């Protein structure tokens, strides 16, 4: 199927380095697994930056299962705090840290930033009064809201405040868009390369980074929404794997008895012949071509919906709990695990 | 592709009569269009009930565009109120109406019932005191919450209260599941046949109807969630239409200039040859077979997510506004349009 | 000053036994102090009931300091759970407990019940499915809202549900009115004598008790509001104490240097001579006469406001946290302290 | 009674000009009454500013009855919009107006600012895109939260943002403290003299005004809290009036039949003899001395509570509705009355 329409209409952008990285050869991924929580660290230098189209910096991706389970939540918190501590470089407890919760508190899937800020222990004003215990870091926090509610470019509000209070470190928290069903609400990305507010959910806005703010920036992002194109293209890929797996196992009696067989845990070799038999012309497309086609199909009729799981309210509560507890733990030397 | 696994694992159930009806021949649909708001009325008698697997009663479906637009919202309110008045049969202002908001106020896409109740003018206690203006209907309202929060079957709470206060009419409001992308948050179904709480979002619970409560029941439902199977199967059907349409227009220069061409507005004839060319074995499946396959693919790996649009908070506000304004208008003889 | 107007216009009612008890001679009060948290236990039998005008039963009052302090909150939780366990009599984990959160979730000072219910672990529906760990009690929970929002007498909703699910024990949580500034948000009353919903804040409604429901009822109440009459009469009493204390210490040089001298901690003997010198005719009134006068002064002009501290949102969060954590601990045998 | 303690411990500050004005002779008050809504306009020049201790500028006070009544709310909106229009000086629809909602959205009585901002139509970002109807003013809006949550002086956040976006006019909305029971939630003050955030509820913070921001500032304030000292001193004054009025009418038979006699509507002459007979030494104090005494009595024991009416949630909804509707009406030339 020759593709006649504009290839740029659907930007195949991802906010997650780990998704961008899978398209690049020879990229060193440092992977570790902590009791089911997977951490992937990728360092992007100047050269790799050009290839992969992502900014120079360290990217740490934490992947995990359902955080509505309290035991899993505690495990993710421990890993998150440990990884965050790798990026936080401060010389003294008096160094001011500005924590920024991006997003919209009246839109549930975009409320991760504001919900996280609500749990951050803020101390900057107490430092002015000299009434802070020595284990507390100097911390300020803002929730600049979104341009649709303020009328002001969010990066402009942040730059104004940062120029005024001159923090030594900025930590930014935001909801992201996922380009994979499997990472939705199951991934935290940490990076020292900055972020563009609303890049996931709304239009990409001006960048918040060391370059724009003259201050080191740590960005913490969680993919909380996904578009219909991603759901369909992921599912089509799963169909292929399911088909090949089923064909191989069709005559094995045991297979038929297995309910909810998780075929993704098997090593399945995709061959083009099977793919095209199953899917015809669609089976001839690579991933990018498939997404472009889906964009051509869904966008003109207004159905490339951006969606979020129906239990998003509780997921946001659990995820923000991990983020503010982890930040408090690292900045303020908390001994206690505050997960509830 | 021979389908070896159990066909019953994915129930092809729909909460919407209009979706069930499209699979049935010779069903009389009474359609009207009010300035872009489409109303379809279907009467199901005993005989049709057996064929279609839906309860006997009148089903009115109102279909509309984006209700975040205030002008459209006003139009939908007018139509909703008019249609609701067809089902409301009361003899006197003293006849007690019990309005019930099903669902979970701490889960946004399931909060339509509780949000609607918050806007209902309640007067039953004022009737006891004889301090009500004569144009107000006698109205009580409850939000019984969901079984996950109460530990009690919702229909059992409702039956207990109804047996105690003995209303002459019950109006039940609930969120539903959609089996079509195009109806998500764009449809209101009214019926006098009753409802099963949580049928859309959670597990189907015990019925609320004239049969179980000995009181006429009007159910008002809006589809607010959709599952991944529906998103994928709808998209695959759109792919076929898009493919056939594109093939027909590929050599017409004008076509290439049309951005966001809504091919659904054209009359497209689906032929099996094109469908199979495009989609291979998948193209040979009918709608039900496709959904069963998608269930086999997605359910074992836990990815048949139930999702809702990311702007769901604002959509719930707009939709509940229409519902409580319409109910107040019909029951209490409001002259004013309360849409804001 | 002869009091010519009707003495019944202002009912000197209190929801707290400990306040009623101070007007009664020879009442045995069992007092204990747990690291600053004071517990007073009073048993009212038939005879005392007639004297004091309160129902027969055990009344346990827990008095404490500011619960916005986390350490204090933990202490209060421990005492609350211990006292609650004295009243909870269950034979088996399968005995159903119905927990009821009275009050209005859209009015902050009246939201203690609904906020507490949100933290209760509900298990009744899981018992039906036989999927509960053995240390969990069988628990259901409802928030019947208030008559102004439902149009239905709250006790009637509760009776309907209780008759239907037949619990072995009912626990009711409600906000109360305080008749003392010093107990506002600093007292929890536990009793097995029942409660009347909205007795503090709205009009007194029909009783919820063993007599009306045929089921043992434990009522948990916290005074969260106070009226202007109480504020003024308490302050006038403090003025007298402050005056006598100041007179005694006026010539002691050290006294003048003490900022914020808490004179209430001193043993101050009130004499009528000083009281009348300070306050004239008002100084001749006893407590009840003073409150009746204040009612005559404030009620006709609409200024006997019922008020709550301006930090009430955070106070409700802290107090409900104590209540649901304590209930979960006693019913479900939690080892962990869930205070956050 | 000689007053030995520090007279400065209780600052007799009021946020309301109309309360400050009553202590000053020869101040010209321009009063008008619009169907029960009273408007008082006071112009403070350099000379008067020194006497009254308030900044130079125009102060407009709107006094009204219960705004939970919808008809009254509509009247108040009309008057508010008309008075606001007197202070708004703009040359073109392109002149940027920055609306600022001071206060804390998680503390109900301090949430007037954030609640009002939620209703403001924001257009600045649409102006950048040239997609605004000509009747819309260019408007941006922020909610800078409070220092306890950000760690940053609120005026500093505002100055940073204002310096960056350079508005032509700033409108600031805040909750105030009342020094009178009768004005609580029943007054709106408009002034072009600026405001100090949190002046009512928290500590007085740095000023927001033409002087500090180089931009004209209109401040809109509503007293939403009152302290116990005010409640008691107001009540003591009412006691005196009630006593004198009762004495005069004691032998008039008709008087005894009048229930809820509003004696404040009568012209009552206070004489010192009666005041001292009723209240002894306390009766000899003037208003300021009484408040200082009450401060000495209540502050050392921690009972000078700042309180708010128990129906504050609904009051905030009604008051913010008036404010945002009025601002939208004046800035954006709305024809419709948006009160609901």
């Amino acid at each position: 199927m020759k593709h006649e329409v504009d290839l740029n209409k659907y930007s195949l952008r991802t906010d997650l380095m780990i998704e961008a990285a899978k398209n690049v050869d020879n990229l060193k991924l440092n992977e570790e697994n902590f009791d089911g929580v997977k951490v992937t660290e990728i360092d992007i230098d100047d050269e790799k930056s050009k290839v992969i189209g992502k900014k120079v910096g360290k990217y740490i991706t934490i992947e995990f299962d359902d955080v509505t389970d309290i035991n899993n939540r505690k495990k993710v918190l421990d890993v998150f705090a440990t990884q965050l501590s790798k990026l936080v470089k401060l010389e003294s407890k008096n160094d001011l840290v500005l924590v920024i919760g991006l997003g919209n508190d009246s839109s549930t899937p975009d409320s991760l930033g504001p919900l996280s800020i609500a749990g951050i222990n803020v101390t900057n004003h107490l430092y002015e009064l000299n009434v802070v215990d020595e284990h507390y870091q100097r911390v300020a926090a803002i929730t600049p809201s979104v341009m649709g509610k303020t009328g002001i470019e969010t990066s402009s509000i942040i730059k104004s405040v940062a120029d005024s209070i001159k923090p030594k470190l900025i930590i930014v928290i935001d909801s992201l868009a996922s380009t994979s069903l499997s990472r939705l609400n199951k991934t935290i990305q940490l990076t020292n390369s900055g972020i563009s507010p609303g890049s996931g959910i709304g239009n990409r806005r001006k960048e918040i980074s060391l370059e724009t703010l003259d201050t080191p920036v740590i960005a913490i992002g969680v993919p909380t929404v996904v578009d219909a194109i991603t759901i369909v293209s992921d599912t089509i890929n799963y169909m292929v794997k399911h088909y090949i797996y089923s064909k191989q196992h069709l005559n094995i009696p045991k297979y038929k008895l297995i309910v909810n067989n998780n075929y993704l845990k098997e090593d399945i070799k995709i061959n083009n012949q099977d793919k095209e038999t199953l899917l015809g012309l669609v089976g001839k497309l690579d991933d990018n071509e498939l997404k472009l086609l889906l964009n051509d199909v869904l966008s003109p009729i207004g159905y490339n919906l951006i969606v979020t799981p129906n239990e998003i309210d509780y997921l946001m509560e659990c995820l923000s709990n991990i983020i503010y507890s982890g930040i408090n733990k690292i900045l303020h030397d908390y001994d206690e695990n505050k997960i509830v």
Side-chain angles (χ1 to χ4, degrees), chain A residues 100-118:
Chain A
I100 300 170
L102 298 178
N104 183 349
D105 63 1
S106 48
S107 170
T108 310
D110 197 18
S111 65
L112 183 72
L115 285 177
S116 298
I117 290 299

Side-chain angles (χ1 to χ4, degrees), chain A residues 45-324:
Chain A
D45 57 19
D46 267 345
E47 200 182 338
K48 289 175 200 150
S49 171
K50 282 166 205 154
V51 178
I52 203 166
K54 288 273 167 188
K55 291 191 63 193
V56 169
K58 185 186 281 300
Y59 294 81
I60 300 172
T61 307
I62 307 170
E63 293 172 275
F64 43 83
D65 281 336
D66 179 20
V67 287
T68 65
D69 175 84
I70 184 158
N71 292 318
N72 199 36
R73 203 149 74 242
K74 285 179 179 170
K75 281 198 299 192
V76 176
L77 169 59
D78 284 341
V79 175
F80 169 66
T82 307
Q83 299 302 318
L84 177 63
S85 71
K86 288 188 195 169
L87 296 177
V88 171
K89 315 281 185 204
L90 293 166
E91 284 171 19
S92 131
K93 285 290 174 192
N94 192 45
D95 286 358
L96 176 58
V97 179
L98 174 61
V99 190
I100 300 170
L102 298 178
N104 183 349
D105 63 1
S106 48
S107 170
T108 310
D110 197 18
S111 65
L112 183 72
L115 285 177
S116 298
I117 290 299
I120 297 290
N121 278 19
V122 168
T123 57
N124 184 51
H125 57 310
L126 305 176
Y127 262 89
E128 309 274 346
L129 304 170
N130 269 313
V131 294
V132 199
D133 275 7
E134 57 180 18
H135 66 92
Y136 284 104
Q137 186 70 37
R138 185 169 198 142
V139 172
I142 58 169
T143 51
S145 192
V146 291
M147 198 169 71
K149 290 176 83 175
T150 62
I152 309 170
E153 184 78 41
T154 303
S155 60
S156 155
I157 295 179
I158 291 169
K159 187 159 176 49
S160 305
V161 174
D163 285 352
S164 159
I165 66 168
K166 301 194 191 336
K168 289 280 191 293
L169 173 68
I170 290 174
I171 298 178
V172 183
I173 304 155
D174 201 7
S175 302
L176 307 177
S178 185
T179 54
S180 149
L181 258 182
S182 63
R183 291 209 177 79
L184 193 60
N185 296 305
K186 292 184 175 170
T187 302
I188 301 174
Q189 175 173 279
L190 298 165
T191 175
N192 55 14
S193 70
I195 196 171
S196 301
S199 58
I201 291 168
N203 295 319
R204 186 170 279 271
R205 313 299 326 158
K206 284 186 195 150
E207 185 180 284
I208 295 162
S209 66
L210 176 59
E211 288 73 26
T212 59
L213 297 174
D214 279 329
T215 310
V217 171
I218 298 173
I220 300 170
V222 177
T224 63
V225 295
V226 69
D227 62 4
I229 291 175
T230 298
I231 293 176
V232 179
S233 66
D234 277 12
T235 303
I236 286 177
N237 287 326
Y238 294 142
M239 283 169 81
V240 174
K241 288 183 183 169
H242 179 266
Y243 173 68
I244 294 173
Y245 180 74
S246 299
K247 243 182 56 171
Q248 289 167 353
H249 291 76
L250 216 52
N251 296 318
I252 303 170
K254 202 181 104 194
Y255 167 71
K256 298 186 189 168
L257 302 172
I258 300 172
V259 177
N260 285 342
N261 189 342
N262 188 337
Y263 56 86
L264 288 186
K265 289 187 176 160
E266 309 294 322
D267 189 27
I268 303 167
K269 283 248 153 56
I270 308 293
N271 63 76
N272 287 337
Q273 181 59 45
D274 279 340
K275 203 175 155 192
E276 289 174 30
T277 303
L278 177 69
L279 286 165
L281 285 175
V282 168
K284 290 178 191 287
L285 303 175
D286 69 18
D287 273 10
N288 284 0
E289 288 168 336
L290 175 59
K291 288 189 172 183
L292 287 167
L293 169 62
L294 289 169
N295 184 54
D296 284 351
V297 169
L298 292 173
S299 292
I301 58 175
Y303 289 160
N304 185 23
L305 297 182
I306 296 173
V307 298
T308 194
N310 75 323
E311 70 268 40
I312 188 66
D313 298 76
Y314 188 44
L315 282 165
M316 286 294 98
E317 204 181 300
C318 296
L319 288 163
S320 63
N321 185 215
I322 291 169
I323 289 171
Y324 68 70

